[in-house]
Amino acid sequence: MDYSVASWRRAGVLMLGAGLVVVLALTASGCASGAGAAATTAGKPDMVTDSDEPDARKRARIRLELAVGYYEQGQTAIALDELKLSLAADPNYGEAFNLRGLIYMRLNDYALAQDSFQRAIALNASDSNAQHNYGWLQCQREQYAQADQLFAQALANPFYGERAKTFMARGLCQVRANQLDEGERSLTRSYELDAGNPITGYNLAKLLFRRSEFVRAQFYVRRLNNSELANAESLWLGVKIERRVGNQDAMRQLAAQLKKRFPQSKEALAYEREAFDE
């Protein structure tokens, strides 16, 4: 398994508009993988206070806010019902289509997810959130060239505020496509913009470990494991890296943490088997 976002305290892969950041729980096996869904949000849509807001858009926005709440609670059917009401009030509400795409991704209905993201982008060609999400959808479908183009379009927007997450998603997708040089560049850029994202730090360290750049990998995984965001996967990666650089003391310390904090994890069991090369 590549990583489990559910075990991290903060991270992000998919985005909603209006300040919403949606966490997607990703699982991977090697470079080609599927994606599971477990989402939370970092905030509610920005409230529009302009008294000139059209009544139709106001009704649509309120329904979207309700849909987001249900989506966060995992009540996707009710969220979709609220989105239908939102789009009935304002058929040109791109953010509603973006959320609809995320919901259909959670339901593994990629055709309807694609339709939703395409509609969001058709309504607003500079919607970097929708371009990012559509790019991640294409990555799940192993349409790597199309995914990379969509990530590039999102990043081309000079007003886009979530560049770190898009560089992260782009790097993960490039690694899946076995484009390791490009993946390293994207993950490094994401790390430069947001060194606190554990998914970026972990996957950058893992990629460098894979490329036998153990000292560089050590830098990133140590920073992660010295924070409150360490988990079983990062500790196990740290164990393997310290073993490679010949630091037995650090290796034993990390192993002790792994066994104490995550005794039933597959990583702890792998350490007991001395399965360092699996």
Side-chain angles (χ1 to χ4, degrees):
M1 180 179 292
D2 221 6
Y3 50 82
S4 174
V5 176
S7 62
W8 301 109
R9 291 190 180 182
R10 61 177 296 274
V13 175
L14 297 185
M15 272 88 70
L16 281 168
L20 279 163
V21 178
V22 176
V23 176
L24 180 70
L26 301 170
T27 58
S29 176
C31 292
S33 68
T40 60
T41 59
K44 296 296 182 185
D46 297 333
M47 298 301 294
V48 177
T49 57
D50 188 351
S51 59
D52 293 331
E53 181 185 19
D55 288 341
R57 176 55 58 91
K58 181 178 179 180
R59 293 195 302 272
R61 175 174 52 78
I62 291 172
R63 289 296 182 181
L64 174 61
E65 292 170 359
L66 292 171
V68 169
Y70 287 118
Y71 176 73
E72 290 178 342
Q73 298 168 21
Q75 300 183 55
T76 52
I78 302 176
L80 284 172
D81 287 340
E82 293 294 344
L83 284 177
K84 289 177 184 177
L85 294 172
S86 177
L87 290 168
D90 186 349
N92 297 318
Y93 197 15
E95 290 185 10
F97 281 113
N98 188 30
L99 176 57
R100 193 177 78 167
L102 293 177
I103 291 174
Y104 282 126
M105 278 191 73
R106 173 182 284 183
L107 297 174
N108 294 320
D109 191 331
Y110 288 172
L112 286 177
Q114 174 172 301
D115 176 75
S116 300
F117 293 138
Q118 287 177 337
R119 287 178 181 236
I121 295 168
L123 289 167
N124 181 4
S126 62
D127 187 346
S128 295
N129 289 320
Q131 289 165 342
H132 170 109
N133 293 337
Y134 188 18
W136 189 251
L137 171 66
Q138 294 292 64
C139 186
Q140 307 315 300
R141 303 176 78 175
E142 300 183 6
Q143 301 297 314
Y144 298 123
Q146 294 91 324
D148 198 70
Q149 182 178 12
L150 286 158
F151 291 136
Q153 290 172 3
L155 291 166
N157 180 355
F159 303 105
Y160 182 43
E162 297 290 350
R163 304 176 70 81
K165 292 183 177 64
T166 296
F167 274 115
M168 178 185 71
R170 189 182 198 180
L172 295 174
C173 192
Q174 287 165 333
V175 171
R176 290 186 181 190
N178 206 34
Q179 299 170 346
L180 303 188
D181 291 340
E182 294 85 347
E184 181 181 339
R185 284 195 292 269
S186 295
L187 290 171
T188 299
R189 182 59 179 144
S190 177
Y191 194 87
E192 290 170 351
L193 294 170
D194 182 10
N197 191 314
I199 295 180
T200 303
Y202 173 82
N203 280 279
L204 185 51
K206 184 175 181 181
L207 174 57
L208 293 169
F209 177 77
R210 176 179 174 182
R211 306 185 81 175
S212 299
E213 297 188 43
F214 304 123
V215 174
R216 292 182 63 204
Q218 182 188 51
F219 168 81
Y220 294 104
V221 82
R222 277 189 172 183
R223 290 192 67 178
L224 177 53
N225 284 330
N226 287 334
S227 76
E228 63 178 7
L229 301 173
N231 71 355
E233 289 170 310
S234 68
L235 290 169
W236 176 229
L237 179 60
V239 166
K240 294 190 288 186
I241 290 172
E242 298 296 349
R243 176 174 175 269
R244 287 285 191 164
V245 299
N247 194 334
Q248 295 297 316
D249 289 340
M251 174 184 166
R252 285 191 289 269
Q253 290 172 7
L254 289 169
Q257 286 190 56
L258 176 61
K259 291 188 292 183
K260 180 179 180 180
R261 296 173 57 188
F262 309 101
Q264 302 304 316
S265 66
K266 64 181 183 60
E267 291 82 7
L269 297 176
Y271 176 77
E272 294 296 339
R273 298 196 313 272
E274 298 186 354
F276 299 109
D277 298 319
E278 285 187 357

